[in-house]
Structures are given as structure tokens and as C-alpha cells.
Amino acid sequence: MTSTSAPIGLVLIDTVNEVFAEGGKGYPGFKAEFERIGTLDNLRRLLAGFRDKGYPAFFSPMSYTDEEYDDWKHRSGIHRMMFDNRMFEAGGWGAEFHPDLRPGPGDVTIAPHKNLDVFATTDLDIQLKRRGIEHIAVAGMIGTMCVESTARSAMERGYRVTLVKDATAPDGDAGSYEQMVNRYALIAHDVLTTEELLSRADF
């Protein structure tokens, strides 16, 4: 199996220390949901399953430079929060991939995204199209922001979209999670658990 013949690609968003490592600035806000959902373990299993099949994974990190922190003209609420706390600092430990969720041989690292929708400011679309990938599974963080926005954009661009509901987490609690999953059902072609996706016969 080569990446040019794979029937599905895995898009992993913000699998970096800032979010998934205990010392990350974003980690405390997600820790409880990570533990309740099993997010990190499911991401590990998901990535391993794709690699076992020889299917490509596309890693999309987020990072900001000093110039961007200082000169970003129109700051949304999420940008103000990130910039005030200097989150995802380019070249810093927080913006590095988590040791268990980093690119390996055959994987593709996408240019750092700057907004919620990874397609908007990166090379994700062309990297998928170069490999003939029309079906993507989307996971990572934050489930209610970057994951949802990227999945919505993928659907609008004509991709088949599978959202992996237990390989992400919301910015909130169990109630926020249920609302997120309900929205996923309107955006995606499939909303599956890690186990459901990996056990599909066509996977």
C-alpha cells in the first residue's frame, strides 16, 4: 500500500505538547475530558491503526511567531486568549509534537495553521490532492474549534469526512461533548469511535 493508493487519510490537528502534555498551557483545561473520553489513548490507537495499514497521516500543528503575537491586526476571542498566554510559541516546547503523537516515516507534516480551519492557511488541501485522498478521518484538538471547523471545510470542498468522536475533546464538559457530537452528525458523513473506524472492513 502506498499513500497514493490509500482509501483514507488521517488528519491530526494540534497533537502538540501545549495541549497533550502535562506541562502544556492548554492541558489543564482539557485534562478531565481527556480522562473521561480516553482521548490520548484513542489517538495513539488511531495513529497506530493507520500506520499498520500503510495509510497516510497528515499532522497539522499550530504555532505563532513573535511578529504574529505583536502585529496580528484583528484578534478573535481565541486569538486574544492564546496570544495573551503566548501559547503555541514557534520554536518552543509547547508547539512541538507530543512524543506519542508525532510524525513518523510516511507521514506528512502540514505547515502550521493560524486559524481554526486548517484548510484556510495551510497546504493541507494540496497535500491531500497530491496523494489522491478523497476521504479523511479528522481527530485531535480542539473538538469544538479546529476539528469542527476543518471538518466543515473539508465537507464543503467535497471530501468525504469521518469524525472520530473519542479521539478529540471539547472546550467544556460532558454536556459540551454531547452537543459537539450532535453537530458532528450534521457536518460529517460518518461519526465513529476509534474502535468502530478501525474495525471497518474497508479500512
Side-chain angles (χ1 to χ4, degrees):
M1 175 67 65
T2 67
S3 62
T4 55
S5 62
I8 186 172
L10 176 62
V11 176
L12 291 178
I13 302 175
D14 295 338
T15 56
V16 296
N17 289 326
E18 202 78 284
V19 177
F20 285 101
E22 290 198 12
K25 294 175 183 177
Y27 179 79
F30 304 119
K31 182 176 184 291
E33 279 296 278
F34 282 168
E35 292 176 353
R36 186 185 72 83
I37 299 165
T39 304
L40 185 55
D41 283 342
N42 289 325
L43 281 165
R44 291 187 185 107
R45 291 177 57 226
L46 189 65
L47 181 57
F50 270 73
R51 285 174 170 165
D52 285 347
K53 290 282 190 177
Y55 298 167
F58 300 81
F59 286 78
S60 176
M62 173 178 275
S63 69
Y64 296 98
T65 64
D66 287 338
E67 182 180 8
E68 288 168 330
Y69 287 134
D70 293 338
D71 297 337
W72 200 279
K73 187 173 182 181
H74 300 296
R75 300 185 182 190
S76 66
I78 188 64
H79 284 104
R80 288 195 298 272
M81 185 274 288
M82 291 189 297
F83 289 9
D84 287 349
N85 292 284
R86 290 190 70 86
M87 297 179 71
F88 305 101
E89 188 170 2
W93 172 83
E96 293 177 359
F97 288 107
H98 185 280
D100 295 342
L101 301 171
R102 62 176 46 159
D107 296 328
V108 181
T109 302
I110 302 302
H113 67 104
K114 307 297 181 178
N115 292 312
L116 302 184
D117 172 14
V118 173
F119 284 98
T121 55
T122 77
D123 56 331
L124 176 59
D125 193 46
I126 191 63
Q127 294 289 3
L128 292 168
K129 287 177 176 173
R130 281 184 58 213
R131 293 162 176 82
I133 302 295
E134 297 182 358
H135 180 191
I136 60 172
V138 186
M141 288 297 284
I142 301 169
T144 44
M145 293 190 186
C146 297
V147 171
E148 184 172 327
S149 293
T150 301
R152 190 186 304 269
S153 182
M155 179 269 287
E156 298 283 4
R157 291 167 184 256
Y159 289 95
R160 178 181 171 189
V161 179
T162 295
L163 279 161
V164 190
K165 63 183 178 181
D166 62 354
T168 186
D171 55 332
D173 56 14
S176 301
Y177 176 82
E178 292 304 319
Q179 293 176 11
M180 176 186 78
V181 172
N182 288 339
R183 287 196 305 276
Y184 281 2
L186 301 175
I187 298 167
H189 302 87
D190 296 289
V191 181
L192 304 173
T193 65
T194 299
E195 181 63 30
E196 288 169 341
L197 176 57
L198 295 181
S199 64
R200 285 201 162 187
D202 60 348
F203 176 74

